[in-house]
């Protein structure tokens, strides 16, 4: 061969390595999902410009992995809250498509969960002979046989089915067992005992003061030990609830954190970030101001300890992998958070991003993320292009050599090869974040460098250059010469996608009623949501559901006597007859009862125990209320 031929062969060989180099390679996979972890609270995301007075949380073990892998500095989740974000990660679709745009109710007796006709990626990997395991927080349904991890493609589960948990056994299990068999059993998911596969774990298995993040990691390490030498690879979904609330950390570790980081406390206590924060500024009383500052300081210290504990545990897991370097090198680790950090009272810092968990601004949905895989990622670096948790599904299926079920919609893209070759994954294809609020959606759509944001229902779209202004400080909707065109371009893409699910009703609601989030009421009594048409300004997206009467919740009072099943109704409206529809929590009509203004006593004695929605209608005005029949 002459020199040119040799060069061509070399060139084609290296191209061959780049194109399709990871499909079907079947590495072990570990997804480490942190919960509400702040963008600025991992070392690998902190540049030299990070303001030290916000508190530097050391994360040496996580950083070591990140810095020898590829840091995804522009990674996003599909929704700024836990449940919908996890639903999207495991199903590969935007949560709105499957009615999963709210957190599930935090009730362990709830019959709800992610629709069973959605195939989780774990099921495909399981079918491809992967050993599959889920650890930690599930938050995707309680019902055995339908919604639990073992029903969704995991061979093994150790964790808790709800959306959160107390971190010490003494804080949850005691009250659960103490109240079992009484008239007031524990149904709150935070106090549900830990579960292995389908059964509660005996509390004898660990000490009362053992810390949950440690317990989860112990079990994950033991899983690696048992599975690393098997002929088939393993896929581990390790969903820590740290550093999500409740802010709880071992007292000795908090003390040690203060010793190891002697300036941390003073720096944050005197930081304008805290002392001049909006919540502190809003408080006029000087004593209460001080109390609030102290609350934020203590929250940040406990949160920081939870993060250092998480880091320690990631280090322990990696040490177990490293006992056999072949296993370590052949394991793809994906680390990310399920949504942005919850700042101030919950301790997180999202610097340099604006806003927090729940927001459609970057602080709500841009998350810390990296991919580490020694066998394939030979040179470390940073990936600046947009990547989404939605992309994990097709990526992992590709790695396993599996195929997507026929007819399944996917909102993500297989990323591993593009990540390694540092190519843009979705040019001109925006990611969409939508969060339902009170009868409207907050939303943002972004495709580098532009992002549009609309909040508050009737606001106009703001425009940010997130490539150069990730903190979303400068709204360019009036200054950018092509603003209208850019905004409309993104809106059009949003309409195209939203059209596909505009009539899908939410399967559940986290806030049952109340002044802030009467979502369920809006759906079942007035069908006012989702108002995608108003969001994007087009009739094309109006739902086939009709808008009924406006709610007048402030005019309604229900005085229950739940054990007797009698409810006194005080509806401050002009009426002769008051029609009351009794609706199940899944939106099914059960009964209609008519009341007179003179005897407004609702008899519910015949109904079985449980929660119901009552819709009150005078013919002119309507209101809704949720009741619990004991
Ligand atoms: Ca979360």
């Amino acid at each position: 061969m002459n020199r040119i031929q040799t060069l061509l062969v070399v060139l084609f060989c290296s191209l061959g390595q780049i194109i399709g180099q990871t499909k079907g390679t079947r590495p072990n996979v570990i997804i480490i999902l942190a919960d509400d972890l702040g963008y600025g609270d991992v070392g690998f995301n902190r540049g030299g410009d990070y303001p030290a007075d916000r508190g530097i949380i050391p994360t040496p073990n996580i950083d070591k992995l990140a810095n020898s892998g590829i840091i995804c500095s522009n990674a996003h989740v599909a929704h700024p809250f836990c449940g919908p974000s996890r639903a999207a990660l495991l199903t590969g679709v935007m949560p709105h498509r499957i009615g999963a745009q709210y957190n599930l109710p935090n009730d362990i007796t709830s019959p709800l969960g992610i629709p069973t006709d959605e195939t989780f990626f774990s099921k495909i990997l399981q079918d491809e002979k992967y050993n599959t395991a889920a650890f930690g927080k599930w938050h995707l349904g309680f019902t055995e046989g339908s919604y639990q991890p073992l029903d969704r493609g995991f061979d093994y589960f150790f964790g808790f089915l709800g959306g959160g948990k107390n971190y010490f056994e003494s804080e949850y299990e005691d009250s659960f067992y103490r109240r079992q068999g009484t008239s007031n059993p524990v149904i709150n998911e935070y106090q549900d005992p830990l579960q292995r596969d389908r059964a509660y774990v005996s509390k004898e298995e660990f000490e009362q003061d053992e810390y949950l993040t440690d317990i989860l990691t112990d079990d994950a390490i033991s899983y690696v030990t048992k599975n690393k030498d098997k002929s088939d690879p393993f896929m581990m979904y390790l969903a820590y609830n740290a550093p999500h609330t409740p802010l709880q950390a071992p007292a000795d570790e908090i003390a040690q954190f203060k010793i190891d980081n002697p300036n941390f406390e003073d720096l944050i206590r005197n930081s304008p970030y805290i002392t001049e924060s909006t919540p502190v500024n809003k408080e006029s009383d000087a004593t209460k101001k001080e109390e609030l500052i102290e609350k934020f300081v203590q929250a940040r210290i406990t949160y920081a300890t939870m993060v250092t504990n998480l880091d320690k545990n990631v280090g322990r897991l990696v040490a177990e992998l490293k006992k056999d370097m072949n296993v370590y090198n052949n394991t793809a680790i994906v680390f990310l958070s399920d949504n942005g950090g919850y700042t101030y009272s919950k301790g997180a810092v999202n610097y340099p991003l604006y806003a927090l968990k729940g927001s459609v601004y970057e602080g709500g949905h841009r998350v810390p993320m990296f991919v580490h895989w020694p066998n394939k990622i030979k040179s470390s670096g940073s990936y600046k292009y947009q990547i989404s948790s939605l992309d994990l599904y097709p990526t992992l299926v590709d790695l396993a050599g599996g195929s997507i079920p026929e007819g399944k919609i996917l909102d993500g893209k297989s990323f591993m090869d593009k990540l390694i070759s540092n190519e843009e994954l979705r040019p001109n294809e925006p990611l969409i974040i939508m969060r339902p609020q009170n009868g409207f959606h907050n939303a943002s759509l972004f495709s580098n460098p532009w992002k549009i944001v609309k909040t508050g229902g009737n606001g106009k779209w703001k425009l940010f250059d997130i490539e150069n202004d990730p903190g979303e400080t400068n709204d360019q909707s009036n200054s950018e010469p092509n603003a209208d065109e850019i905004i409309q371009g993104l809106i059009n893409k949003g309409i195209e996608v939203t059209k596909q699910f505009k009539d899908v009703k939410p399967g559940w609601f986290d806030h049952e009623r109340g002044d802030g989030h009467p979502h369920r009421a809006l759906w079942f009594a007035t069908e006012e949501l989702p108002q995608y048409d108003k969001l994007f300004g087009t009739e094309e997206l109006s739902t086939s559901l009709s808008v009924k009467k406006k709610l007048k919740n402030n005019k309604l009072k229900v005085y229950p006597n739940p054990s007797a099943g009698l409810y006194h109704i005080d509806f401050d409206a002009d009426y002769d007859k008051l029609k009351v529809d009794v609706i199940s929590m899944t939106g099914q009509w059960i009964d209609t009862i008519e009341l007179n203004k003179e005897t407004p006593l609702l008899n519910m004695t015949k109904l079985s125990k449980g929660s119901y929605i009552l819709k009150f209608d005078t013919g002119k005005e309507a209101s809704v209320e949720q009741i619990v029949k004991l």
Side-chain angles (χ1 to χ4, degrees), residues 34-36 80-83 86 137 244 337-340 357:
D35 198 348
D36 295 8
F81 275 147
C82 310
R86 285 152 202 265
K137 168 163 156 176
H244 190 289
S337 177
D338 70 333
N339 51 251
K357 173 181 182 174

Side-chain angles (χ1 to χ4, degrees), residues 189-264:
E189 59 190 9
Y190 279 64
Q191 292 172 29
D192 200 24
L194 285 173
Q195 182 167 323
R196 176 173 285 113
D197 292 336
R198 296 191 187 276
Y200 284 146
V201 177
S202 161
K203 62 179 181 178
E204 312 302 325
E205 202 177 300
F206 31 80
E207 301 293 320
Q208 273 223 331
D209 58 353
E210 258 189 90
Y211 189 58
L212 184 54
T213 311
D214 299 333
I215 292 173
L216 295 173
T217 310
D218 286 346
D219 213 77
I221 288 172
S222 143
Y223 182 84
V224 169
T225 313
K226 284 180 204 151
N227 284 274
K228 64 183 176 185
D229 296 325
K230 289 189 177 167
S231 54
D232 291 314
F234 64 81
M235 184 279 287
M236 180 191 277
Y237 172 72
L238 178 52
Y240 289 111
N241 56 322
H244 190 289
T245 56
L247 295 179
Q248 295 168 347
D252 59 334
E253 290 187 28
I254 294 177
Q256 191 61 44
F257 179 86
K258 291 179 181 177
I259 294 166
D260 294 342
N261 303 275
N263 300 322
F264 191 96

